[in-house]
Amino acid sequence: MTNHLGDMQNSKAIIIFGANPASNHPIAMQHILKSKEQNGAKIIVVDPRYTKTAAKSDLYCRIRTGTDIAFLYGMIRLIRDNKWYDKSFIDSRVYGMDEIFKECEEYTPEHVEDVTGCPKEILIQATTAFATADPGCLIWNQGWTQHTVGSSNTRLGSILQLVLGNMGKPGGGTNILRGHDNVQGSTDMGCLSDTLPGYYGLAEGSWKYFASQWKVDYDWLKGRFKSQKMMESKGFSLSLWIHGVLDEANAKNNADTPIKALVCIGNGISTITQTDKVKAALDKLDLVVFIDPYVNDAAVITTRENNLYMLPAASQVECSGTVVNTGRTAQWRSKVIEPLYEARPDEEILFDFAKRMGFYDEYTAGMGKGREFTWPEDATDEIARILKTVGFQGRTAARVKKHTLNWHLFDTTSLKGRGPVSKEYYGLPWPCWTQEHPGSPVLYNVNLPVSQGGMGFRTRFGTERNGVSLLAAQGVAPVGSRIKGGYDEITSKNIEELSGIKLTDEEKKLVEGKNWKTDDSGILVRNALAAGLAPYGNARARTIVWGFRDEIPKHREPLHSFRHDLIKRYPAVADIENHYRTNVRYASEQTAKNWVAEHPINIVSGRVVEHMGTGTETRASKYLSELSGEMYGELHPELAAKLGLKDGEMMWVYGTGEGKIKIKCRYSYRVDKSSVFLPQNFSGVWSGESLESRYPAGTAPHSFGENSNQVTSYGYDQQTSCPETKCSLVRIERA
């Protein structure tokens, strides 16, 4: 998220793709409505379903699921032809825009209407309203990411903002609404299988850096893995782990062994596609452990009889520490009560595991400093010390606590503080380069000094490509920068030349062979800031990602496309071997059959305002269950009539795999005549049969329902492996 929630109030237009903040992010929705009411912002919603957010919009664009890229290219073509783009911004701060302008050529308004289903007049109105507003804000959520081309959706959305020069502006940017209060924080901490904390890679140099920071021997750390190759390889992802259990062919990608055990901590693993495969994998594993405040739905789905453990974890109010919200700001959560009954805080459970497995001393060495550590303060300070890539150095426990205790002294639109927190931004949004730095509420803003949160784009991919400079043009740099154009990231080799500051012999020894990401002395960052330089350099944003399967974003039809006639023109990528240790089908799945012939109805899925995730926590509330207590499917009355269904009758929904669910038909004009909307927030019923009896005594929720992902189709993002829950086909019959 380049900006933050309050900054939306500075926008003149807000376009929302793949998100429904009125239902899923009500706090964000308040800022959106304030922008509309106080700033006159136009609200544009692009969504397959007429949502509660769309009801508040000035313009609603209904598109077919999985066609966002075609819609975006249609916008870019109109912007190009009408010369609404920011030429100066593109020329000085962007690499590769010519390729994007070439790719958009075929996406005429007429062609976009054919592919997406959105009338060309609506596309033109939406583009005109957004492109002629200054600044304009782009919002997205899981409706964009959970596709086989989800990574391309997010890339092209960012490129749209580059075209218009909306990056680095208050009221502009790309804003991703996370589903929970610490999703951004967990990502920062490396809770993904392809990075270490702070987005450091898995190469040997990164592991050696962390070994030194964690105060453990690198060879000891390497010895925890079967081989160095496995140590430096991506692991299974959240969506693909099931295939590491069920498909023997994937064993060769995992050191010649299938996954044998699963420890699941606070994750609704039944929210990925093909819940029937999740059940099969859970049934087959040697050991399954769930750590949760509530009974994880997956623990009820499995029918295994042995080696299934549920460890009660403390809830938010029973522990303390930092959480990082969607806008990159940190907040201190204080303990309200001691954990009840047998519940224990996560760290206490993990420390206990480490003791029993014999590596507790190594596990905690980075916090100790030769003494007993204080949790969570020392852990927070350890994070601040180590994670230099995203500028955590200034986010110490003491500073975060001070902000949280003085939250009322910060402006909700700018995040600026006053009084004891003046000259700082609330929550110290990263990058926060030093303990004197205020944080950076708007990324890539060159209209501020680096010392006040300004920066250019990061120099991450070299300084030139095919003879073309990847550095920002002369004249583009944060206010007060010694270098008035682009420059490389700061290292021991270039610090003196770039900053104009001579290092002492002692300082040279301390930083020798280091760069801004690995220098523990702080000399490189400190001298860079003194010269008005961003430690990570000043480059151009790139539209071309070499090494990606699609170097520029391309529209590709979903694997289970509602428009089989378009597959030949917009095919899926070739099947991928060893994609997060899994052999994943793409083209072969897409062309295996004419899927829509047997499953003619398109799924639109999403959350409801009363529940979150699988509803594990919220359905345990009798009040929320009273408001939304049953699973259903929304059908347009005309489609329901064709199927012989009346409002309130039960129906069977069959997926393209083996899953089926029995749910209530609900008439709705919010969906089109070829789709069904399925909420994602239910569980506890399996293909028409209640699972209530499987809950331990006293733990069953107040409401149950079929899990919609029992009928979602096979499919994963071609770069990230995120599950494609947003493009599936089903068949519906009267129950």
Side-chain angles (χ1 to χ4, degrees):
M1 189 168 184
T2 61
N3 296 38
H4 59 89
L5 297 180
D7 182 67
M8 295 175 189
Q9 296 178 48
N10 295 314
S11 304
K12 287 295 185 180
I14 299 176
I15 190 165
I16 304 170
F17 286 85
N20 180 16
S23 290
N24 306 329
H25 306 92
I27 300 300
M29 192 64 189
Q30 292 181 40
H31 294 288
I32 294 168
L33 293 177
K34 283 183 180 179
S35 182
K36 180 176 181 177
E37 294 162 3
Q38 301 173 12
N39 206 27
K42 297 295 183 183
I43 311 301
I44 305 159
V45 172
V46 185
D47 200 293
R49 177 172 173 258
Y50 190 76
T51 63
K52 292 182 178 181
T53 304
K56 292 291 185 179
S57 69
D58 296 283
L59 185 62
Y60 168 61
C61 314
R62 190 194 296 277
I63 65 171
R64 175 169 62 92
T65 57
T67 62
D68 302 86
I69 290 173
F71 190 92
L72 285 167
Y73 271 129
M75 292 184 70
I76 291 171
R77 189 182 193 278
L78 287 167
I79 291 166
R80 183 201 66 180
D81 291 351
N82 287 281
K83 294 185 170 30
W84 289 329
Y85 54 87
D86 189 327
K87 186 177 188 303
S88 175
F89 188 96
I90 293 170
D91 289 347
S92 59
R93 300 191 66 186
V94 182
Y95 170 84
M97 192 60 77
D98 288 346
E99 292 301 312
I100 299 300
F101 283 161
K102 288 179 185 176
E103 184 68 20
C104 78
E105 184 62 37
E106 70 172 295
Y107 291 96
T108 63
E110 293 77 14
H111 185 55
V112 171
E113 178 174 339
D114 177 51
V115 174
T116 70
C118 179
K120 62 181 181 180
E121 295 81 7
I122 301 296
L123 168 69
I124 294 169
Q125 289 178 47
T127 306
T128 303
F130 189 68
T132 58
D134 186 15
C137 164
L138 167 64
I139 294 172
W140 77 72
N141 190 238
Q142 293 171 341
W144 253 15
T145 57
Q146 293 181 351
H147 295 268
T148 53
V149 292
S151 51
S152 292
N153 285 337
T154 60
R155 287 173 57 207
L156 194 56
S158 301
I159 290 168
L160 172 67
Q161 291 294 69
L162 294 173
V163 170
L164 294 170
N166 277 328
M167 286 292 200
K169 282 185 177 181
T174 55
N175 298 293
I176 306 93
L177 303 181
R178 304 296 201 176
H180 298 274
D181 64 351
N182 201 31
V183 171
Q184 182 63 56
S186 66
T187 308
D188 294 342
M189 291 302 102
C191 293
L192 297 171
S193 62
D194 58 343
T195 72
L196 288 167
Y199 310 96
Y200 288 80
L202 298 176
E204 180 178 344
S206 296
W207 281 108
K208 286 185 173 178
Y209 170 73
F210 272 91
S212 69
Q213 298 298 313
W214 289 335
K215 296 180 172 54
V216 297
D217 181 73
Y218 168 73
D219 287 330
W220 176 87
L221 194 60
K222 185 167 65 173
R224 308 303 299 177
F225 295 83
K226 186 170 184 179
S227 68
Q228 185 171 351
K229 178 183 177 182
M230 286 293 99
M231 183 183 193
E232 297 173 7
S233 299
K234 295 178 184 178
F236 286 101
S237 66
L238 172 62
S239 57
L240 290 173
W241 72 270
I242 54 177
H243 303 294
V245 180
L246 300 174
D247 189 346
E248 294 181 3
N250 291 317
K252 66 179 181 181
N253 304 323
N254 192 49
D256 297 316
T257 183
I259 297 175
K260 296 181 179 180
L262 174 72
V263 178
C264 180
I265 306 179
N267 193 294
I269 59 174
S270 58
T271 59
I272 63 176
T273 53
Q274 302 173 290
T275 310
D276 58 313
K277 301 295 185 184
V278 174
K279 177 189 181 304
L282 291 172
D283 290 348
K284 186 176 180 180
L285 288 164
D286 293 345
L287 172 69
V288 178
V289 180
F290 290 102
I291 303 173
D292 260 308
Y294 296 82
V295 175
N296 192 300
D297 292 306
V300 178
I301 290 171
T302 178
T303 52
R304 64 181 301 122
E305 297 180 354
N306 297 301
N307 291 330
L308 170 64
Y309 298 89
M310 290 185 285
L311 307 183
S315 64
Q316 294 187 29
V317 296
E318 297 167 315
C319 53
S320 62
T322 57
V323 293
V324 180
N325 81 351
T326 190
R328 297 170 285 106
T329 60
Q331 301 170 81
W332 192 268
R333 185 168 59 203
S334 298
K335 181 189 292 185
V336 178
I337 59 172
E338 291 298 320
L340 297 175
Y341 311 112
E342 296 176 286
R344 302 169 72 189
D346 292 332
E347 75 278 0
E348 190 176 311
I349 296 171
L350 294 174
F351 288 154
D352 204 347
F353 279 158
K355 288 176 182 177
R356 293 167 188 258
M357 290 187 278
F359 58 86
Y360 173 77
D361 289 342
E362 291 85 355
Y363 191 46
T364 59
M367 292 183 287
K369 306 172 189 174
R371 58 175 173 80
E372 287 295 316
F373 60 85
T374 300
W375 182 274
E377 287 79 3
D378 282 344
T380 304
D381 290 343
E382 180 189 22
I383 291 166
R385 184 185 77 248
I386 296 177
L387 303 191
K388 301 176 179 67
T389 47
V390 282
F392 267 41
Q393 298 96 307
R395 295 231 302 225
T396 62
R399 289 189 84 193
V400 176
K401 283 183 177 181
K402 184 178 180 181
H403 278 221
T404 303
L405 290 172
N406 290 282
W407 65 269
H408 56 290
L409 297 177
F410 292 88
D411 183 85
T412 59
T413 303
S414 67
L415 300 188
K416 288 182 179 178
R418 60 184 187 274
V421 286
S422 63
K423 300 181 180 179
E424 295 184 359
Y425 298 107
Y426 181 68
L428 305 165
W430 59 256
C432 183
W433 299 112
T434 67
Q435 293 189 36
E436 293 74 39
H437 194 270
S440 308
V442 177
L443 297 180
Y444 318 127
N445 185 356
V446 295
N447 295 316
L448 290 175
V450 175
S451 62
Q452 296 177 29
M455 72 199 81
F457 294 116
R458 181 176 170 182
T459 309
R460 188 179 177 189
F461 307 102
T463 59
E464 67 89 24
R465 175 82 173 171
N466 297 329
V468 178
S469 175
L470 296 178
L471 298 179
Q474 189 66 19
V476 175
V479 171
S481 174
R482 180 176 183 271
I483 306 298
K484 304 305 180 183
Y487 50 88
D488 202 357
E489 61 179 352
I490 301 300
T491 69
S492 60
K493 293 181 179 180
N494 65 19
I495 182 62
E496 291 185 325
E497 177 186 355
L498 291 176
S499 69
I501 300 171
K502 291 293 183 182
L503 302 183
T504 66
D505 289 342
E506 183 179 352
E507 287 175 329
K508 288 179 180 178
K509 288 181 181 178
L510 288 172
V511 302
E512 184 178 1
K514 302 290 183 65
N515 59 40
W516 65 281
K517 302 184 292 291
T518 58
D519 172 30
D520 285 335
S521 72
I523 292 169
L524 297 181
V525 169
R526 185 169 64 247
N527 286 7
L529 266 61
L533 306 175
Y536 67 29
N538 182 23
R540 296 173 187 263
R542 62 174 184 163
T543 68
I544 303 170
V545 183
W546 38 93
F548 269 34
R549 288 169 181 87
D550 286 330
E551 292 198 344
I552 63 170
K554 292 182 178 291
H555 170 61
R556 294 186 180 278
E557 280 295 309
L559 300 191
H560 305 88
S561 174
F562 188 76
R563 288 287 303 276
H564 185 76
D565 59 302
L566 292 176
I567 288 175
K568 187 174 182 180
R569 184 169 182 176
Y570 301 110
V573 296
D575 294 1
I576 303 173
E577 289 191 7
N578 198 9
H579 187 39
Y580 292 85
R581 304 196 184 186
T582 304
N583 300 329
V584 183
R585 305 188 302 275
Y586 290 93
S588 68
E589 177 74 12
Q590 188 181 58
T591 58
K593 62 169 70 174
N594 182 353
W595 294 99
V596 73
E598 297 177 6
H599 296 81
I601 298 171
N602 198 48
I603 288 182
V604 179
S605 63
R607 289 172 281 182
V608 295
V609 68
E610 294 85 2
H611 297 302
M612 57 188 290
T614 61
T616 301
E617 299 170 41
T618 50
R619 287 185 292 104
S621 164
K622 63 181 180 181
Y623 303 107
L624 293 175
S625 291
E626 184 176 344
L627 292 170
S628 179
E630 64 178 356
M631 176 61 176
Y632 59 90
E634 288 183 359
L635 288 178
H636 192 282
E638 290 187 25
L639 175 59
K642 290 181 181 178
L643 298 170
L645 283 163
K646 295 180 180 178
D647 187 45
E649 289 188 331
M650 300 302 290
M651 60 185 183
W652 282 107
V653 181
Y654 297 89
T656 53
E658 299 176 3
K660 64 177 183 177
I661 57 176
K662 186 180 181 181
I663 59 176
K664 183 173 287 188
C665 171
R666 181 179 292 181
Y667 281 6
S668 174
Y669 289 98
R670 294 194 288 181
V671 290
D672 63 24
K673 299 175 184 179
S674 58
S675 300
V676 58
F677 170 74
L678 300 178
Q680 298 175 199
N681 308 113
F682 291 89
S683 191
V685 177
W686 187 268
S687 299
E689 295 186 11
S690 173
L691 304 180
E692 183 175 3
S693 62
R694 296 189 191 172
Y695 287 85
T699 67
H702 289 280
S703 57
F704 304 87
E706 296 271 19
N707 185 319
S708 63
N709 282 310
Q710 287 175 242
V711 294
T712 48
S713 301
Y714 177 100
Y716 307 95
D717 181 79
Q718 61 193 36
Q719 286 300 141
T720 67
S721 84
C722 194
E724 185 172 53
T725 64
K726 303 303 182 183
C727 284
S728 295
L729 296 174
V730 294
R731 183 178 79 256
I732 295 178
E733 297 176 359
R734 192 169 183 271

